[in-house]
Amino acid sequence: MITVRAPGKLFIAGEYAVVEPGNPSVLIAVDRYVRVDLTPSVGKGSIHSEQYGRQPVVWYRDSNGIVVDHDMQPVDYILSSIATVEQLVSELGVTPRFYDLTVSSELDDVSGRKFGLGSSAAVTVATIGALNEFYDLELTRLERYKLAMLATIAVSPRASGGDLAASTFGGWIAYSAPDRGHAMTLRDERGVIGALRSDWDGLSVRRLAPPSALRLMVGWTGSPASTSRLVDNLQGRRWTDEVHYADFLARSRHHVEALITALDEDDAEGVKTAIRGARRTLGALDSAAKLGIETPALARLSDTAEAIGAAAKSSGAGGGDCGVVFVDVDADVSALLREWELSDIRHLALSVHPAEGGLDER
Ligand code: MEV
């Protein structure tokens, strides 16, 4: 049996703007995992995923009618991962074989609620990892990220893939998404092998060092967001054509670049300033586009953190889920934790899943 685990992720800054190719973001991988077990089989393959099976498929309406929330359908991502690797295997002239996959996830808690840690991405990365071992493909991390991205955009063409990069590379990363249309064209024109071997417009990934004088705390406010709904709302209103959107992208870039510089220089105050700037930038987008990114609970999470001299913001799509806090390592956080308890904000005792090896290593 082959077992591969892939970590969940959290956005530190640059969410939403990262959907546009070439716009920077910062993410971390966290020590909560999706595990895929692969056993060879004969004649047919199967996918077992009890946790996901229990979850309902969520749908909603937009201006074009009923839309199914792809965040809630990891089986689509597993099937797309299998199809993408199978295409690669056939291009390489390797004989395809059958296998049974069993998925288990720590990214949902016992009652099945999601923490917004990117379970669709982690399941994609773990499936690609298991098939890489099964077929002895010896793919580098960058190639596995690219395969995961091709599999993901076949299901969700707007996804930035920041979660895939965090899950594949681990640790702290600076990430700009590729032009997904270009990536799909590469696959159509040159096959999966050709796409893996080509440079992707807009894609950039670099490891970052964590700030040594700051502790990262994560709070969860419940009521998980539907990422595709929030992103579709943003794009459905043609925000991309409006001046506000260009302004949002420029401001986001400014604060994320300041964050990256502060991390490179291990400048704790610079990190806090950039996090506050990123919070204000999302806030301006939120009030103009009425997305509901920073819910009252997320605002409370950040405001209570500010009250003890920390800097904080929502993480990822928002509308609930997690907020991230940067607090001085020697600060007393007991008052903050009490405030959170009173406000039903759950402190998630997460650590960063460490980075292992180079991006171009196997
Ligand atoms: C969702 O976790 C983050 C967004 O930036 C969407 C994406 O990156 O695909 C809102």
Side-chain angles (χ1 to χ4, degrees):
M1 186 172 81
I2 291 167
T3 293
V4 172
R5 294 191 320 164
K9 67 86 191 48
L10 282 171
F11 267 96
I12 298 298
E15 50 276 270
Y16 287 97
V18 70
V19 172
E20 299 301 327
N23 269 278
S25 66
V26 172
L27 298 103
I28 56 168
V30 296
D31 62 348
R32 293 289 184 282
Y33 303 89
V34 166
R35 175 177 147 168
V36 170
D37 296 321
L38 182 153
T39 40
S41 61
V42 182
K44 60 180 169 39
S46 67
I47 300 165
H48 305 258
S49 156
E50 242 182 60
Q51 259 127 332
Y52 297 137
R54 277 211 312 267
Q55 281 195 357
V57 171
V58 174
W59 59 271
Y60 58 93
R61 288 190 180 85
D62 73 5
S63 46
N64 300 316
I66 303 291
V67 182
V68 175
D69 184 351
H70 281 294
D71 287 358
M72 305 298 269
Q73 295 201 342
V75 163
D76 286 355
Y77 293 91
I78 299 172
L79 290 171
S80 187
S81 301
I82 292 174
T84 308
V85 176
E86 293 287 318
Q87 187 184 338
L88 173 64
V89 162
S90 122
E91 288 171 11
L92 289 168
V94 174
T95 311
R97 288 177 284 153
F98 287 102
Y99 38 85
D100 296 320
L101 299 178
T102 303
V103 179
S104 36
S105 172
E106 292 173 4
L107 300 179
D108 312 85
D109 75 356
V110 275
S111 62
R113 292 176 298 188
K114 280 190 174 190
F115 291 135
L117 298 173
S119 59
S120 316
V123 80
T124 304
V125 169
T127 302
I128 302 273
L131 294 177
N132 176 45
E133 284 189 29
F134 181 60
Y135 283 118
D136 267 328
L137 298 173
E138 301 204 318
L139 299 166
T140 66
R141 284 189 180 78
L142 189 61
E143 288 168 336
R144 278 185 273 137
Y145 152 82
K146 284 182 169 176
L147 270 182
M149 193 69 191
L150 291 175
T152 297
I153 57 182
V155 178
S156 248
R158 288 171 182 170
S160 71
D163 43 11
L164 299 171
S167 188
T168 306
F169 302 119
W172 287 69
I173 55 164
Y175 174 79
S176 305
D179 179 327
R180 275 78 91 206
H182 177 236
M184 288 208 239
T185 307
L186 285 174
R187 180 179 180 170
D188 288 347
E189 288 177 357
R190 303 182 195 173
V192 172
I193 298 182
L196 295 191
R197 290 187 183 151
S198 305
D199 285 334
W200 287 14
D201 293 350
L203 173 64
S204 138
V205 194
R206 175 162 82 80
R207 289 204 194 285
L208 297 171
S212 63
L214 294 172
R215 169 175 168 200
L216 173 66
M217 289 171 65
V218 181
W220 185 65
T221 62
S223 53
S226 157
T227 302
S228 19
R229 181 167 48 80
L230 287 164
V231 175
D232 286 353
N233 276 351
L234 182 65
Q235 304 210 337
R237 277 188 224 154
R238 296 182 184 275
W239 265 80
T240 30
D241 301 336
E242 287 178 27
V243 61
H244 287 72
Y245 189 70
D247 184 46
F248 162 69
L249 294 180
R251 286 180 62 186
S252 177
R253 172 181 290 277
H254 170 80
H255 294 297
V256 174
E257 283 176 352
L259 175 64
I260 292 170
T261 304
L263 288 167
D264 284 343
E265 294 171 357
D266 199 14
D267 164 12
E269 277 316 305
V271 168
K272 286 201 222 167
T273 305
I275 291 294
R276 290 181 183 124
R279 182 185 179 195
R280 282 197 308 277
T281 303
L282 279 175
L285 173 77
D286 208 0
S287 44
K290 306 264 178 311
L291 295 173
I293 298 171
E294 190 177 277
T295 57
L298 280 168
R300 175 128 193 90
L301 182 154
S302 291
D303 294 342
T304 48
E306 283 290 342
I308 63 159
K313 62 182 278 299
S314 58
S315 167
D321 277 340
C322 293
V324 286
V325 173
F326 288 90
V327 61
D328 297 346
V329 274
D330 51 7
D332 181 0
V333 297
S334 50
L336 175 63
L337 291 176
R338 261 197 313 279
E339 288 286 344
W340 281 11
E341 238 183 283
L342 291 173
S343 311
D344 258 337
I345 298 167
R346 178 156 156 195
H347 175 219
L348 297 185
L350 299 172
S351 300
V352 175
H353 168 80
E356 298 149 357
L359 273 44
D360 284 320
E361 287 172 28
R362 301 203 150 86

